[in-house]
Amino acid sequence: MKKTGTADQPPTPPTPAAGPEAIKAIPVRHYGRYLSAAIALGAFAAIVYAFSQGKINWDAIPDYFFDDRILNGVGQTLLLTVLSMAIGVVGGILLAVMRLSKNPVTSSIAWFYIWFFRGTPVLVQLFVWFNLGLVFEYINLGPVYKDEWSSFMTPLLTALLGLGLNEAAYMAEICRAGLLSVDEGQTEASQALGMSHSKTLRRIVVPQAMRVIVPPTGNEVINMLKTTSLVAAVQFSELFRYAQDIGQTSGAPVEMYFLAAAWYLIMTSVLSVGQYYLERYYARGSSRTLPPTPLQKIRANVLSVGRPKGGMA
Amino acid sequence: MTAMVKAEGVHKSFGAAHILKGIDLEVAKGEVFCLIGPSGSGKSTFLRCINHLEQVSAGRLYVDGELVGYRQKGDKLYELKDSEVALKRRDIGMVFQRFNLFPHMTAMENVMEAPVQVRGESRAVARERAISLLDRVGLSDKAKNYPSQLSGGQQQRVAIARALAMEPKLMLFDEPTSALDPELVGDVLDVMRGLAEDGMTMIVVTHEMGFAREVGDALVFMDDGVVVESGHPRDVLTNPQHDRTKSFLSKVL
């Protein structure tokens, strides 16, 4: 915590009557930049040309881009991403707190959980959940619920458990790093005020840990969105599976992969923007001025065109 | 009248490091009690023992007649639960060298946090008192600022207001001005002087000998985990008896 700002309203230094004359100099020419830009553009054009000449029926993509099944798949993908991340975040915070607890029982349980779920591939976990009926024939929650495992374990539930529980293990490590990043003085200060352990965590530590937790969590969301394509393997229909289905019936399988890729790119791009604003929110109080929003940045850039400032790379 | 703080042979070790080697002292109610000594002498550790941020290894430490951190039944000691420790800490305010304000809350929210969250006060009542406390430390115009927008001296004054919001009967100051630019020290000391005049019991670990001499009612010089010399600040500071005290004071005065 560095000392910032001024003490108490310092007297403003006298300003010179007339501003100094601005320096007019020939800027350094960066010929390497022009050259590398030309090479990059050339390479890009070559790749685009190669694809356009390939045996790919590009017209099929716009035909199916807003197909009902595709849109439905996009919705399912988003739903699965949101729900599995919710399980992951809640589970992750819980596991991280357990892991850092003084109680050896809870911290060992958390350690074991993380060890298991991080140590096995998520695709394998999905298949295990799918076939768990071999172990448990019935699910029996006493008077509340009783059913055969196979009818209880719907594709959605399989996908949610597989993705969510796996994610919780990764989120636990992210949350743990975040909780540890908060200065110990913060815990001491809140304890000295008489705050309980859980209040200290909830009111003081977690909000500050969010600054460290949010950026990698944004990555996890984007990762999760892409990983949902794996659940096609356990009979859950989402974007990738619908795209495959359409590809098989319409005779344009590869084209549908491009279509799915485009949709995934659109969704991850939107998520990246959301992440930026979330990070900005949790930065409040840590820096004196918030970073500009992309809109503000664009506005500033547009206004400054024509009078470039020094040092613009 | 029971002493506000009473230490009987207090020891504290961290593993093999023996930090406190038998501290005996008494702080009377309403007294400003200064702890001085070289760094590593155990002043801060002793201060942190008083509100149980550190656990005493041996000896007995009492605050307002009650044992710190333990309950005595017969001749057996029982560790207090976290919630019981927290209950006792409500009555002891603490100010840290590095301020430790909550950076994600404004000055006002920092001061309101404990009354609302710990004592369950309504936000309106807590806000009223926060306003008057910030006014008292001369920062009523900074209520909406985040700690990062305040100078060190202002942050420390908010920290004092935050501690006072719980209406403690004892205030602990752990080198409150050591992390400040020299020009900002005065404001913080002024606030502390005002507190002393209002009769607050204060234990102050400090290197500000001027403050100790002027405001202090009692002073203890600690070195290497023991109390070397104690008495009225004027006497100890102007006429030290021990060589260790003399050599320390010759370096800092």
Side-chain angles (χ1 to χ4, degrees):
Chain A
M1 217 172 291
K2 260 179 270 157
K3 189 192 75 64
T4 54
T6 50
D8 280 306
Q9 303 306 326
T12 45
T15 43
E21 198 186 335
I23 292 176
K24 283 181 198 132
I26 316 285
V28 177
R29 303 291 181 200
H30 298 282
Y31 296 109
R33 288 183 194 170
Y34 297 117
L35 189 67
S36 52
I39 292 173
L41 283 174
F44 186 67
I47 293 170
V48 170
Y49 179 76
F51 270 80
S52 67
Q53 296 304 302
K55 293 188 196 102
I56 291 169
N57 175 19
W58 292 107
D59 294 338
I61 296 178
D63 285 352
Y64 287 101
F65 205 78
F66 295 108
D67 188 280
D68 283 348
R69 284 168 293 177
I70 292 292
L71 291 182
N72 187 18
V74 167
Q76 293 295 309
T77 292
L78 286 174
L79 177 77
L80 196 56
T81 305
V82 169
L83 291 180
S84 337
M85 273 317 288
I87 296 176
V89 169
V90 172
I93 291 176
L94 202 70
L95 283 166
V97 172
M98 283 170 73
R99 183 85 198 274
L100 292 172
S101 146
K102 279 181 284 182
N103 181 339
V105 179
T106 54
S107 74
S108 315
I109 292 173
W111 182 90
F112 181 83
Y113 181 99
I114 294 167
W115 171 77
F116 181 83
F117 281 91
R118 237 177 24 155
T120 50
V122 66
L123 186 58
V124 176
Q125 286 173 29
L126 281 168
F127 279 120
V128 169
W129 281 112
F130 193 59
N131 293 300
L132 219 52
L134 296 176
V135 184
F136 306 102
E137 212 168 324
Y138 293 99
I139 177 156
N140 189 349
L141 300 177
V144 189
Y145 185 85
K146 186 175 191 298
D147 204 348
E148 280 183 40
W149 187 269
S150 51
S151 49
F152 163 73
M153 211 49 158
T154 59
L156 174 66
L157 196 59
T158 312
L160 273 183
L161 284 176
L163 296 178
L165 296 188
N166 181 67
E167 185 57 31
Y170 285 92
M171 283 306 302
E173 291 298 273
I174 291 172
C175 294
R176 190 167 69 103
L179 294 178
L180 288 176
S181 76
V182 178
D183 183 37
E184 221 178 319
Q186 294 290 310
T187 313
E188 283 182 359
S190 74
Q191 285 182 341
L193 286 167
M195 288 171 82
S196 67
H197 197 69
S198 60
K199 277 249 166 73
T200 299
L201 207 59
R202 219 173 52 237
R203 298 280 312 169
I204 308 300
V205 178
V206 169
Q208 294 181 60
M210 289 310 263
R211 264 188 61 229
V212 175
I213 293 175
V214 166
T217 303
N219 283 341
E220 290 294 310
V221 175
I222 287 168
N223 226 339
M224 175 62 81
L225 187 101
K226 297 182 294 177
T227 310
T228 53
S229 60
L230 288 182
V231 302
V234 290
Q235 309 305 318
F236 185 80
S237 296
E238 37 64 71
L239 174 58
F240 186 59
R241 193 176 168 86
Y242 279 122
Q244 276 180 313
D245 288 351
I246 295 174
Q248 268 153 22
T249 52
S250 70
V254 183
E255 288 78 356
M256 291 306 115
Y257 294 147
F258 282 116
L259 185 151
W263 266 110
Y264 281 117
L265 255 181
I266 291 169
M267 288 190 279
T268 52
S269 306
V270 171
L271 287 179
S272 306
V273 175
Q275 183 186 359
Y276 181 86
Y277 279 93
L278 203 60
E279 279 176 35
R280 195 169 175 272
Y281 172 79
Y282 280 110
R284 79 196 192 287
S286 64
S287 50
R288 261 165 286 166
T289 51
L290 289 173
T293 64
L295 212 66
Q296 290 167 338
K297 243 192 253 175
I298 289 168
R299 209 172 287 153
N301 279 338
V302 167
L303 288 179
S304 68
V305 160
R307 40 189 172 92
K309 294 180 203 101
M312 286 211 331
Chain B
M1 195 166 80
T2 51
M4 183 55 88
V5 174
K6 188 173 173 198
E8 294 172 350
V10 168
H11 285 254
K12 173 68 191 174
S13 332
F14 294 97
H18 203 169
I19 305 295
L20 298 179
K21 300 168 181 167
I23 304 286
D24 294 280
L25 54 80
E26 249 188 74
V27 180
K29 279 178 183 151
E31 198 171 47
V32 176
F33 191 96
C34 298
L35 278 170
I36 63 168
S39 54
S41 59
K43 314 171 298 253
S44 291
T45 305
F46 177 71
L47 200 68
R48 291 159 59 82
C49 285
I50 294 174
N51 66 356
H52 209 52
L53 283 178
E54 304 290 355
Q55 200 162 8
V56 171
S57 315
R60 295 282 190 277
L61 184 57
Y62 300 90
V63 171
D64 210 6
E66 287 181 50
L67 205 52
V68 173
Y70 302 93
R71 188 187 308 106
Q72 189 155 16
K73 261 191 204 161
D75 53 355
K76 276 202 183 124
L77 283 186
Y78 296 86
E79 253 182 62
L80 290 185
K81 282 187 285 188
D82 287 350
S83 55
E84 294 170 305
V85 173
L87 201 65
K88 293 196 171 183
R89 283 184 181 141
R90 293 181 185 194
D91 296 332
I92 306 173
M94 184 154 187
V95 175
F96 300 85
Q97 183 178 354
R98 310 282 316 277
F99 327 137
N100 293 346
L101 286 182
F102 306 135
H104 56 303
M105 300 181 186
T106 62
M108 173 74 87
E109 289 166 344
N110 263 281
V111 180
M112 287 169 59
E113 180 68 9
V116 172
Q117 294 298 325
V118 178
R119 277 209 304 224
E121 260 173 34
S122 76
R123 293 188 69 81
V125 173
R127 185 183 303 273
E128 279 301 302
R129 202 169 51 248
I131 289 171
S132 78
L133 282 170
L134 285 174
D135 187 46
R136 177 173 181 178
V137 299
L139 290 172
S140 40
D141 56 331
K142 302 285 183 192
K144 289 202 176 76
N145 288 50
Y146 285 98
S148 61
Q149 297 165 321
L150 301 174
S151 75
Q154 291 168 338
Q155 288 190 48
Q156 192 61 294
R157 284 185 277 156
V158 173
I160 294 173
R162 177 177 70 174
L164 289 176
M166 289 298 283
E167 298 174 323
K169 57 188 178 191
L170 169 66
M171 285 284 284
L172 309 176
F173 292 86
D174 188 2
E175 302 196 23
T177 56
S178 298
L180 299 178
D181 285 354
E183 51 173 359
L184 305 177
V185 168
D187 293 337
V188 172
L189 291 183
D190 284 344
V191 169
M192 291 169 63
R193 194 171 291 126
L195 265 181
E197 280 161 13
D198 291 350
M200 175 65 78
T201 312
M202 297 159 65
I203 303 181
V204 186
V205 172
T206 188
H207 294 297
E208 296 292 328
M209 299 305 156
F211 175 84
R213 191 187 341 236
E214 190 191 330
V215 183
D217 299 308
L219 181 139
V220 154
F221 171 71
M222 275 177 71
D223 190 24
D224 201 23
V226 293
V227 173
V228 175
E229 192 166 348
S230 60
H232 195 277
R234 258 193 311 277
D235 302 336
V236 180
L237 292 176
T238 49
N239 188 19
Q241 300 300 309
H242 286 71
D243 292 342
R244 206 43 212 99
T245 321
K246 282 177 194 162
S247 86
F248 175 76
L249 289 176
S250 70
K251 281 176 203 147
V252 296
L253 282 180

